[in-house]
């Protein structure tokens, strides 16, 4: 029998975290400052669509910042209803 969404949420709330997750110490190498968690480090705007690009996630085309959706394509498509 499959558990319902409500049963699963209840189980997750009642299960101690150490039974749900494995916690391990890791060393991260080569992380740029802008990739670190926390407040926004840098931002710019896409030269194609104008969308704000946070924390060095842009690529450059012709020396101008471009968001990844404009540069390589988006994972979604806007549709008219």
């Amino acid at each position: 029998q499959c558990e319902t969404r409500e049963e699963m949420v209840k189980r997750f709330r009642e299960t101690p975290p150490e039974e749900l997750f494995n916690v391990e110490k890791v060393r991260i190498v080569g992380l740029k400052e802008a990739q670190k968690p926390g407040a926004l480090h840098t931002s710019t705007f896409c030269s194609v669509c104008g969308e704000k690009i946070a924390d060095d996630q842009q690529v450059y085309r012709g020396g101008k910042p471009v968001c990844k959706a404009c540069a390589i394509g988006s994972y979604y498509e806007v549709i008219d209803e």
Side-chain angles (χ1 to χ4, degrees):
Q1 172 180 337
C2 294
E3 68 183 342
T4 66
R5 183 177 191 282
E6 291 77 21
E7 290 169 334
M8 181 180 65
V9 169
K10 183 176 186 251
R11 180 171 52 86
F12 284 163
R13 284 188 177 148
E14 294 174 352
T15 304
E18 57 274 7
E19 291 181 25
L20 291 173
F21 305 100
N22 292 326
V23 178
E24 300 174 317
K25 288 185 178 185
V26 298
R27 178 174 290 112
I28 299 174
V29 179
L31 196 64
K32 293 188 237 175
E33 186 65 31
Q35 294 173 310
K36 293 179 181 178
L40 184 65
H41 295 90
T42 64
S43 67
T44 190
F45 292 91
C46 177
S47 61
V48 176
C49 71
E51 181 175 320
K52 187 174 188 176
I53 309 167
D55 289 337
D56 291 335
Q57 294 299 308
Q58 71 272 10
V59 295
Y60 287 90
R61 297 286 189 260
K64 296 180 180 179
V66 179
C67 71
K68 289 183 180 177
C70 288
I72 60 174
S74 178
Y75 64 91
Y76 63 88
E77 178 183 353
V78 177
I79 56 173
D80 293 322
E81 289 192 29

